[in-house]
């Protein structure tokens, strides 16, 4: 046994990802400090942390998004590291910078890398430099005249996107030249309001593609490896509903190309930490769309098919250690799916359903993993996102994983709030989904279909 | 006097964005269906609309504070 831990990480997040980071810290022999708002004082992750700090009232803007409060909590609690989780401050360069200025280590890439990947136009340029194909598009356009000229090259339909964008904000689909002027001005206004930056660029609209993303991790010794890909094509309004790994039906040649491209891009920026390179895949062609410079909600399916602990790797790398694995050690094994159990009502246009989890019986059994920040009696409060739990299943092949998924989702019982469980069961029964390889428009087209498409 | 209750639990906002003016202030005339604020629930924003026309007498809920289902947010006269 070693002596007392030399590392102490502040977990700057809540819910399942906070618990996930606390567990990984303990697995590394580190101590973990939780932060919480008023609403989360009695939460599971606060109870399991070695120490906890109150950082403000319930609304996220006054607690989890309050950089001053979070950095102060890290300093006051004697932390050496800060893990941002996903969402909240995870991709805010100023947060990474403030953590570093406070003499602490940010678990993730540098503020400069977050910044350059956060700016979509600059990320495209970096991808092009690394020889990674990007969706045909333009540089930043200053005004309607420039947009008109660029549109002639890009072609219709096209997307107008905010350079500083994210979360679907500042994006407009433009089908004809007549729509261009109005779309530029509304996208500009939305981008200015949401990001404080109205810069726009144009991109060809690829309408029938799969969303496939590659998990990468880089260390401070110049190593970058990939942990294969995930298929996240089942989406509603650009929000992922379920994910799977590996991408069903992806040809080995395309898998090699896309994973190589992701590693080249990460290496180009000297990437340190866990990150995800997202692509649109159309037939055998793929295009870079963006890079997420953080751990993602769907990371567990990658862990299931590669036996990696990605959060432990994040902590190792942040402590200056080399990656625990070389590329040739990372082998794909079986298939995994993740189902997001959200407190939302699919029958009421996914309307949020906050409330008390009067009953919460997560499934168990072979190949089943459930990541949740909650236990029975917990409150799904209206201040944060609607994720109740992630049901993750693994099988020797996709067929076995699908069977285990059906069993797991049938066993799951959640009372007190309406959830997306029934919707997932209906997706599992859908022949098109079972065949694999659906595209990003599939779910919304299916939902719009007249018969036999209503979730239970 | 008619009141405007919140149909949702969440956080009540009087402004469309932090740097913008409130939708309405005390003494303003509103018409039925006019937006008087936003309710945020799980990162979704819904408009809170006047349930009747009239003059806004007072707000019973502070800007950016919690509101429960059915709780009266504003009083009209």
């Amino acid at each position: 046994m070693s002596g007392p831990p030399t590392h102490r990480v502040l977990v700057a997040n809540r819910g399942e990802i906070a618990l996930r980071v606390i567990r990984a810290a303990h697995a590394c022999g580190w101590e973990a400090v939780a932060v919480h708002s008023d609403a989360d004082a009695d939460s599971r992750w606060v109870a399991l942390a070695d120490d906890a700090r109150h950082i403000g009232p319930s609304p996220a803007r006054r607690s989890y998004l309050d950089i001053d409060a979070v950095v102060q909590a890290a300093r006051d609690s004697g932390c050496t590291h800060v893990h941002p989780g996903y969402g909240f401050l995870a991709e805010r360069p100023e947060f990474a910078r403030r953590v570093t200025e406070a003499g602490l280590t940010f678990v993730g890439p540098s503020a400069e890398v977050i910044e350059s990947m956060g700016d979509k136009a600059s990320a495209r340029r970096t991808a092009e430099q690394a020889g990674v194909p990007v969706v045909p598009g333009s540089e930043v356009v200053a005004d309607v005249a420039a947009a008109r000229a660029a549109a002639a090259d890009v072609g219709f339909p096209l997307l107008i996107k905010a350079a500083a964008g994210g979360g679907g904000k500042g994006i407009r689909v433009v089908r004809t030249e007549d729509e261009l002027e109005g779309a530029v001005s509304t996208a500009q206004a939305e981008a200015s309001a949401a990001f404080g930056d109205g810069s726009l660029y144009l991109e060809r609209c690829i309408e029938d593609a799969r969303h496939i993303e590659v998990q990468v991790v880089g260390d401070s010794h110049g190593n970058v490896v990939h942990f294969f890909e995930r298929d996240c094509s089942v989406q509603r309004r650009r929000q992922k509903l379920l994910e799977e790994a590996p991408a069903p039906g992806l040809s080995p040649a395309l898998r090699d190309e896309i994973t190589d491209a992701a590693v080249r891009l990460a290496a180009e920026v000297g990437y340190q930490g866990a990150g995800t390179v997202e692509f649109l895949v159309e037939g055998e062609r793929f295009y870079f769309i963006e890079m997420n410079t953080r751990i993602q909600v769907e990371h567990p399916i990658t862990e299931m098919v590669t036996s990696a602990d990605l959060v432990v790797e994040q902590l190792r790398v942040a402590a200056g250690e080399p990656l625990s694995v070389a590329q040739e050690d990372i082998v794909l094994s079986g298939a995994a799916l993740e189902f997001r159990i959200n407190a939302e009502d699919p029958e009421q246009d996914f309307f949020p359903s906050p409330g008390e989890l009067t009953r919460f019986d997560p499934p168990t059994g072979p190949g089943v993993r459930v990541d949740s920040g909650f236990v029975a009696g917990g409150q799904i409060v209206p201040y944060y996102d609607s994720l109740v739990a992630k049901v993750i299943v693994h099988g020797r092949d996709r067929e076995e994983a699908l069977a285990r998924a059906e069993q797991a989702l049938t066993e799951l019982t959640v009372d007190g709030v309406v959830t997306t469980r029934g919707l997932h069961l209906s997706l599992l029964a859908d022949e098109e989904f079972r065949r694999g390889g659906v595209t990003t428009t599939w779910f919304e087209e299916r939902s719009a279909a007249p018969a036999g498409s209503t979730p239970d | 006097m008619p009141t405007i209750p919140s149909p949702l639990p969440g956080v009540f906002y009087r402004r469309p964005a932090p740097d913008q003016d409130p939708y309405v202030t005390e003494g303003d005339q509103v018409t039925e269906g006019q937006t008087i604020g936003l309710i945020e629930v799980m990162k979704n924003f819904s408009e809170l609309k006047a349930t009747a026309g009239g003059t806004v007498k007072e707000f019973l809920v502070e800007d950016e504070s919690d509101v429960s289902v059915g709780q009266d947010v504003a009083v009209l006269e």
Side-chain angles (χ1 to χ4, degrees), chain A residues 25-155:
Chain A
H26 289 164
C28 293
W30 294 27
E31 286 184 351
V33 179
V35 294
H36 67 87
S37 65
D38 285 347
D40 288 335
D42 297 326
S43 63
R44 179 101 174 116
W45 66 94
V46 167
L48 287 175
D50 301 287
D51 189 5
R53 299 283 153 156
H54 174 251
I55 49 165
S58 303
R61 202 147 64 79
R62 298 167 66 195
S63 50
Y64 300 103
L65 288 170
D66 182 341
I67 292 178
D68 289 334
V70 174
V71 172
Q72 192 62 45
R75 297 180 68 141
D76 290 350
S77 57
C79 283
T80 52
H81 292 71
V82 175
H83 193 304
Y86 55 71
F88 293 135
L89 300 170
E91 290 182 280
R92 293 266 293 271
E94 62 269 38
F95 180 56
R97 198 167 286 130
R98 288 282 306 280
V99 167
T100 309
E101 282 168 4
L104 312 176
T105 303
F106 182 73
V107 180
S110 67
E112 291 69 34
V113 168
I114 298 173
E115 205 148 47
S116 80
M117 286 297 144
D119 182 286
K120 303 295 168 65
S122 121
R124 281 172 61 91
R125 278 197 297 277
T126 307
E128 284 173 329
Q129 279 158 25
V132 175
V134 298
V135 177
S138 73
E139 289 289 305
V140 169
V141 293
D143 51 31
V144 175
R148 220 180 283 282
D153 288 337
V154 174

Side-chain angles (χ1 to χ4, degrees), chain A residues 206-277:
Chain A
I206 297 177
E207 295 191 275
D208 202 31
R210 298 169 70 181
H211 176 119
I212 294 180
E213 57 184 35
V214 178
Q215 177 71 59
V216 295
V217 185
D219 65 18
S220 58
H221 305 272
N223 305 303
V224 179
V225 297
H226 71 81
F227 289 82
F228 295 97
E229 83 285 357
R230 296 184 284 260
D231 188 331
C232 311
S233 301
V234 182
Q235 300 183 2
R236 175 183 171 271
R237 297 187 183 167
R238 297 172 195 273
Q239 304 282 321
K240 296 165 185 172
L241 294 173
L242 67 86
E243 305 89 8
E244 54 182 305
L250 196 70
S251 74
L254 184 51
R255 173 168 296 126
D256 284 350
E257 271 188 71
I258 203 168
T259 51
D260 281 355
V263 169
R264 269 202 314 279
L265 175 61
E268 175 81 22
V269 294
Y271 196 83
Q272 289 180 36
T276 297
V277 186

Side-chain angles (χ1 to χ4, degrees), chain A residues 248-329:
Chain A
L250 196 70
S251 74
L254 184 51
R255 173 168 296 126
D256 284 350
E257 271 188 71
I258 203 168
T259 51
D260 281 355
V263 169
R264 269 202 314 279
L265 175 61
E268 175 81 22
V269 294
Y271 196 83
Q272 289 180 36
T276 297
V277 186
E278 300 193 334
F279 298 94
L280 287 178
V281 174
E282 200 181 30
E284 288 291 302
R285 302 177 71 125
F286 65 94
Y287 306 98
F288 166 77
I289 41 176
E290 63 181 81
M291 180 169 191
N292 292 321
T293 54
R294 54 174 161 86
I295 195 77
Q296 282 181 295
V297 176
E298 59 270 31
H299 76 276
I301 51 172
T302 296
E303 297 185 324
M304 300 296 256
V305 296
T306 61
S307 303
D309 186 323
L310 293 169
V311 182
V312 165
E313 291 297 335
Q314 284 190 300
L315 296 175
R316 283 179 64 95
V317 165
E321 293 173 44
L323 284 163
S324 72
V325 283
Q327 189 65 63
E328 58 269 25
D329 302 327

Side-chain angles (χ1 to χ4, degrees), chain A residues 241 340-346 350 418-425:
Chain A
L241 294 173
R340 299 188 189 201
I341 307 300
N342 291 332
E344 293 170 358
D345 186 350
F350 291 81
V418 182
T419 74
T420 50
R421 183 191 79 104
L423 169 73
H424 287 306
L425 276 168

Side-chain angles (χ1 to χ4, degrees), chain A residues 58-59 61-62 193 343 350-354 380-386, chain B residues 8-11 13 18 20 40-44 46 63-67:
Chain A
S58 303
R61 202 147 64 79
R62 298 167 66 195
F350 291 81
F351 203 78
S353 174
I380 308 297
V381 295
Y383 311 106
Y384 318 114
D385 69 38
S386 60
Chain B
L8 300 165
V11 179
Y13 296 93
Q20 289 178 33
E40 180 189 9
V41 48
M42 291 173 168
K43 295 161 106 183
N44 287 17
S46 300
D63 192 17
E64 293 184 37
S65 59
D66 295 3
V67 63

Side-chain angles (χ1 to χ4, degrees), chain B residues 12-14 16 25 34 36 43 46 48-49 58 69 74-75:
Chain B
F12 170 65
Y13 296 93
R14 287 187 55 182
T25 52
Q34 184 178 337
I36 67 149
K43 295 161 106 183
S46 300
L48 178 63
K49 293 179 191 293
E58 67 171 318
V69 183
V75 183

